[in-house]
Amino acid sequence: MAPRKIRNMEEFAAVSGISRPTVSKYFNDPDSVRRSTRERIEQALERFDYRPNIFAMNQNRKLTKNVGIVVPYLADPFFAEIARNIEEKCIEAGFRPTLYSAYGDPAQEAEILDSLRALKPAGVLLAPLGRDSDRSFIEKFCKDIPTILFDSNLEGMGAAFVGSDNASFIEQTVDYLCRSGEPPAFFEMRHPANPNANKRRIAYVKKMESLGFEPQVIKVDGRGWGFEEIGREGAFKLLEQPRLPSRTILCSNDRLAIGFLSACYEKGLRVGLGDDCDLRVASHDDHPFSKFTCPSLTTAAHDYNAVSNRSVETLTQLVESGGRLSARTETLFPARLILRSSA
């Protein structure tokens, strides 16, 4: 005769002869019950082949351990890498993270946040789209749900922001390129998808002027998140010019630079620091693929680990304080210059 099918925790408590609160306490934390009780529960689990519906358990709690991690474009290896780091830190902190991607769509970003409400999350770690986000929607969400912003800052929203110091990216790359050769021209999208690009352009202009050089900003057409193709097509148009504004190109981000390097290869141009090279190319982010380009890409790197650690630490403080911090904080981590063959 087949063993009886247990449908819920109440039935399991009844057939195992253990009180419902004790069973619930065990599933929340096995070490919170006496050893003899724990052994009885585990024997009953094996006998009746019962496994609780963790999602349903969370729904019945006032506060769950669910945490949402929302990024703008998971197909971008940068966001995949930082999301992986944050997910690991959440698990270490005892949370149950779920990862979401808006894929550049503000409507999908809003839909994700709306669906997160149903999970009754302990908190949310959000890297917003930025300029394309529905700011009023996100502002209301942040007031209702404990939220930490990372990577892209929306001023005044969320309990805190954790990210990288975009000025430090530029200061290090521009200073190095000027010291070791010709001052760079800045290569960026005319309509950047990520708001960090604007901060980098502003920092570039300020740094060049402080060094006594005239800023040279090159804007290329293209919208969306296909940065490599945008960089490649923009580079083709730039390289057709009889005279470039500089033989040193500093790209706003590594994905644009990867496209730029592709165009240089197709044009038969040699990229690097040597006297036999036609161009130098550098960039920002330390994209996971940047060390494998040909030539490998000189770049300024995010401190993935520091941003991930601080984001989860701040979220933990926010949850433990009942969803409110005394004041909104902003934490920025400096970049680290990585010298490779391209510059």
Side-chain angles (χ1 to χ4, degrees), residues 5 44 74 96 106 187 191 207 231 252 258 263 278 282 305 316 337:
K5 177 67 175 176
L74 192 56
R96 298 189 182 95
F187 184 85
H191 304 286
K207 181 65 176 179
S252 178
I258 289 170
D278 301 293
N305 195 54
T316 301
L337 183 64

Side-chain angles (χ1 to χ4, degrees), residues 30-151:
D31 293 331
S32 66
V33 300
R34 288 182 298 180
R35 180 178 177 180
S36 59
T37 303
R38 185 166 66 247
E39 290 174 352
R40 286 178 59 199
I41 293 173
E42 289 170 355
Q43 289 171 4
L45 287 172
E46 291 299 321
R47 179 183 175 191
F48 295 106
D49 191 26
Y50 171 69
R51 294 296 179 269
N53 185 331
I54 298 298
F55 180 82
M57 289 169 59
N58 281 337
Q59 294 305 94
N60 291 327
R61 294 180 188 150
K62 185 176 181 181
L63 180 65
T64 73
K65 293 185 177 181
N66 298 326
V67 165
I69 304 171
V70 186
V71 296
Y73 206 82
L74 192 56
D76 185 326
F78 163 73
F79 287 112
E81 179 66 12
I82 196 165
R84 180 188 66 81
N85 274 267
I86 288 177
E87 187 175 33
E88 288 180 352
K89 301 298 186 297
C90 283
I91 293 170
E92 290 171 6
F95 294 116
R96 298 189 182 95
T98 305
L99 181 59
Y100 302 86
S101 173
Y103 289 106
D105 184 352
Q108 186 165 337
E109 181 179 66
E111 184 176 335
I112 288 168
L113 296 179
D114 204 35
S115 66
L116 272 169
R117 293 176 183 272
L119 293 178
K120 298 181 181 178
V124 170
L125 291 155
L126 169 64
L129 292 173
R131 66 167 61 195
D132 290 334
S133 294
D134 185 335
R135 296 178 69 93
S136 61
F137 185 93
I138 291 180
E139 184 175 15
K140 185 177 187 309
F141 179 86
C142 291
K143 289 179 179 178
D144 296 339
I145 305 294
T147 303
I148 304 296
L149 301 188
F150 70 97
D151 183 62

Side-chain angles (χ1 to χ4, degrees), residues 218-230:
I218 303 166
K219 293 183 178 290
V220 297
D221 293 327
R223 291 179 179 271
W225 291 80
F227 299 161
E228 292 86 359
E229 183 63 24
I230 292 170

Side-chain angles (χ1 to χ4, degrees), residues 192-209:
N194 191 297
N196 290 325
N198 294 324
K199 295 178 181 179
R200 293 176 183 180
R201 181 187 64 255
I202 293 169
Y204 163 79
V205 171
K206 183 178 179 180
K207 181 65 176 179
M208 288 285 284
E209 290 175 345

Side-chain angles (χ1 to χ4, degrees), residues 106-317:
Q108 186 165 337
E109 181 179 66
E111 184 176 335
I112 288 168
L113 296 179
D114 204 35
S115 66
L116 272 169
R117 293 176 183 272
L119 293 178
K120 298 181 181 178
V124 170
L125 291 155
L126 169 64
L129 292 173
R131 66 167 61 195
D132 290 334
S133 294
D134 185 335
R135 296 178 69 93
S136 61
F137 185 93
I138 291 180
E139 184 175 15
K140 185 177 187 309
F141 179 86
C142 291
K143 289 179 179 178
D144 296 339
I145 305 294
T147 303
I148 304 296
L149 301 188
F150 70 97
D151 183 62
S152 298
N153 192 11
L154 296 178
E155 301 292 338
M157 297 189 195
F161 169 73
V162 182
S164 298
D165 183 355
N166 285 286
S168 81
F169 281 80
I170 294 294
E171 288 167 0
Q172 292 186 63
T173 53
V174 171
D175 185 67
Y176 164 72
L177 293 172
C178 289
R179 282 189 291 104
S180 58
E182 186 177 358
F186 190 73
F187 184 85
E188 69 163 358
M189 291 170 59
R190 191 178 306 278
H191 304 286
N194 191 297
N196 290 325
N198 294 324
K199 295 178 181 179
R200 293 176 183 180
R201 181 187 64 255
I202 293 169
Y204 163 79
V205 171
K206 183 178 179 180
K207 181 65 176 179
M208 288 285 284
E209 290 175 345
S210 73
L211 294 174
F213 298 115
E214 181 181 356
Q216 301 285 346
V217 177
I218 303 166
K219 293 183 178 290
V220 297
D221 293 327
R223 291 179 179 271
W225 291 80
F227 299 161
E228 292 86 359
E229 183 63 24
I230 292 170
R232 179 174 174 273
E233 292 302 314
F236 278 138
K237 292 179 181 178
L238 175 66
L239 297 173
E240 289 171 357
Q241 296 181 9
R243 186 175 182 277
L244 299 179
S246 173
R247 305 301 294 182
T248 298
I249 306 297
L250 178 59
C251 296
S252 178
N253 66 63
D254 285 355
R255 290 183 60 196
L256 284 175
I258 289 170
F260 197 102
L261 291 176
S262 174
C264 289
Y265 176 80
E266 292 190 42
K267 287 283 189 179
L269 298 174
R270 187 176 179 85
V271 176
L273 185 57
D275 294 335
D276 59 339
C277 294
D278 301 293
L279 290 170
R280 300 173 74 197
V281 178
S283 187
H284 308 97
D285 285 341
D286 194 27
H287 183 290
F289 299 162
S290 63
K291 68 177 69 174
F292 303 113
T293 58
C294 292
S296 56
L297 188 59
T298 289
T299 186
H302 292 271
D303 191 335
Y304 289 96
N305 195 54
V307 171
S308 302
N309 271 331
R310 184 62 60 85
S311 296
V312 177
E313 287 171 1
T314 308
L315 180 67
T316 301
Q317 294 171 8

